[in-house]
Amino acid sequence: MQRLYFLFFLVFYVLVPGHAQEDSLSVNYDTERVTIQKISDGDLEKFKKDPKFDYEIVESNPTWWDDFKAWLGNLFLRFFEWIFGVDEAAGALALFLRILPYLLLVLLLFLFIRFFMNANMSAAESNSGKKPLVSLSEEEHIIKNEDIQALIQKALDSQNYRLAVRYYYLYVLQLLSEKKFIDWQLQKTNHDYEKEIKKPDLKKAFTKITRIYDYIWYGDFDIDQSQYEQAEIIFSDVRKTLNNA
């Protein structure tokens, strides 16, 4: 009986693995029909004309711009190698040093563009407003060289009362400078002249006409003949005071 059991187990361990191995090594064949793809001359021409498939490297002679960039790059490379105390930069430092000239060039172009944009914007803002009849550069010429009383009369004849006030104020400054009450300089402000005047009554009168002048001229306030005549009374009082000083 024991021999019978032994034979049974022997047959089981030998035959069963063999069937499993046979099943695992079974091959599945592809029964789909194979279609042969043909490439025509037209298909080849299409690929030849496509730049993506052009692997030919064409070497060209360097231009002056290429030489300049190479020279500038080497200059910065040597400079930063000297700063960092290394004989030869490598890794991330070498990459940074190589792109640094281009970064500086971009920064320089940005600054130039921004400068010209600001200049154009300033010019546009100046042109958008009223054109000043008397510029700062003309003020010194008028006070030192022109017959300001004749300019006042010319402005009145053209009914430009605002400009007449402007000239009248410059005439007062001219008299103050001639009488040595102030030291007229182009860069000084009207407030500077107020502090230079030592006579109390003259200082008070000058402060009053300065307020009128600032309001009319710098406030861009147009006045008529009646308003000018009221301002002229105050200006005339200051002029009489200076003539008698």
Side-chain angles (χ1 to χ4, degrees):
M1 181 62 81
Q2 293 181 353
R3 292 180 180 179
L4 182 59
Y5 285 136
F6 176 74
L7 289 175
F8 173 76
F9 284 111
L10 181 60
V11 172
F12 177 79
Y13 282 110
V14 172
L15 295 180
V16 172
H19 286 292
Q21 185 176 5
E22 183 180 354
D23 293 337
S24 62
L25 295 178
S26 62
V27 178
N28 295 324
Y29 294 97
D30 187 4
T31 59
E32 293 292 332
R33 185 175 181 182
V34 178
T35 303
I36 300 176
Q37 299 290 338
K38 294 183 179 181
I39 300 177
S40 63
D41 294 338
D43 295 330
L44 292 176
E45 288 297 326
K46 182 178 66 174
F47 288 112
K48 288 180 180 179
K49 294 179 181 179
D50 192 340
K52 296 179 181 179
F53 296 94
D54 186 6
Y55 302 107
E56 184 178 359
I57 299 176
V58 179
E59 295 183 359
S60 58
N61 295 327
T63 62
W64 68 268
W65 178 245
D66 296 328
D67 294 337
F68 173 75
K69 291 190 295 183
W71 171 82
L72 187 62
N74 292 330
L75 180 65
F76 276 101
L77 185 61
R78 290 194 298 270
F79 175 71
F80 279 94
E81 286 176 354
W82 173 74
I83 289 180
F84 289 105
V86 293
D87 295 333
E88 183 176 356
L93 178 60
L95 178 62
F96 170 74
L97 296 180
R98 291 189 182 279
I99 65 174
L100 181 61
Y102 303 100
L103 296 178
L104 294 177
L105 182 61
V106 172
L107 178 61
L108 183 62
L109 291 175
F110 170 77
L111 293 176
F112 270 115
I113 293 173
R114 185 170 182 179
F115 171 77
F116 285 114
M117 288 183 63
N118 290 338
N120 292 335
M121 290 178 62
S122 299
E125 291 176 358
S126 301
N127 294 332
S128 61
K130 291 184 177 180
K131 183 178 180 180
L133 297 175
V134 180
S135 65
L136 290 177
S137 61
E138 293 175 318
E139 185 174 298
E140 183 176 12
H141 174 75
I142 292 173
I143 291 178
K144 294 185 176 181
N145 302 298
E146 294 289 341
D147 183 358
I148 302 182
Q149 294 186 74
L151 294 177
I152 295 172
Q153 188 59 47
K154 185 177 179 180
L156 293 175
D157 293 341
S158 61
Q159 298 182 346
N160 193 338
Y161 301 108
R162 178 171 172 266
L163 183 60
V165 170
R166 164 72 167 174
Y167 286 142
Y168 218 135
Y169 188 79
L170 294 180
Y171 180 54
V172 171
L173 291 178
Q174 185 185 61
L175 294 176
L176 287 170
S177 179
E178 291 174 353
K179 297 289 184 177
K180 306 299 181 182
F181 286 107
I182 63 172
D183 178 22
W184 188 90
Q185 298 292 335
L186 181 61
Q187 68 274 14
K188 289 185 178 180
T189 65
N190 297 333
H191 182 65
D192 294 330
Y193 299 134
E194 289 181 27
K195 293 189 293 185
E196 291 181 12
I197 300 175
K198 303 305 179 182
K199 293 186 64 174
D201 55 339
L202 184 59
K203 184 185 187 73
K204 183 178 180 180
F206 180 76
T207 301
K208 191 173 183 178
I209 66 171
T210 298
R211 292 174 181 171
I212 296 174
Y213 169 68
D214 289 343
Y215 177 73
I216 293 175
W217 184 253
Y218 292 112
D220 199 16
F221 183 75
D222 291 329
I223 60 175
D224 55 21
Q225 182 177 358
S226 175
Q227 292 169 322
Y228 170 78
E229 291 174 352
Q230 295 177 16
E232 186 182 25
I233 295 174
I234 303 174
F235 277 86
S236 296
D237 291 340
V238 177
R239 187 183 65 178
K240 292 177 183 177
T241 303
L242 286 171
N243 289 334
N244 298 327

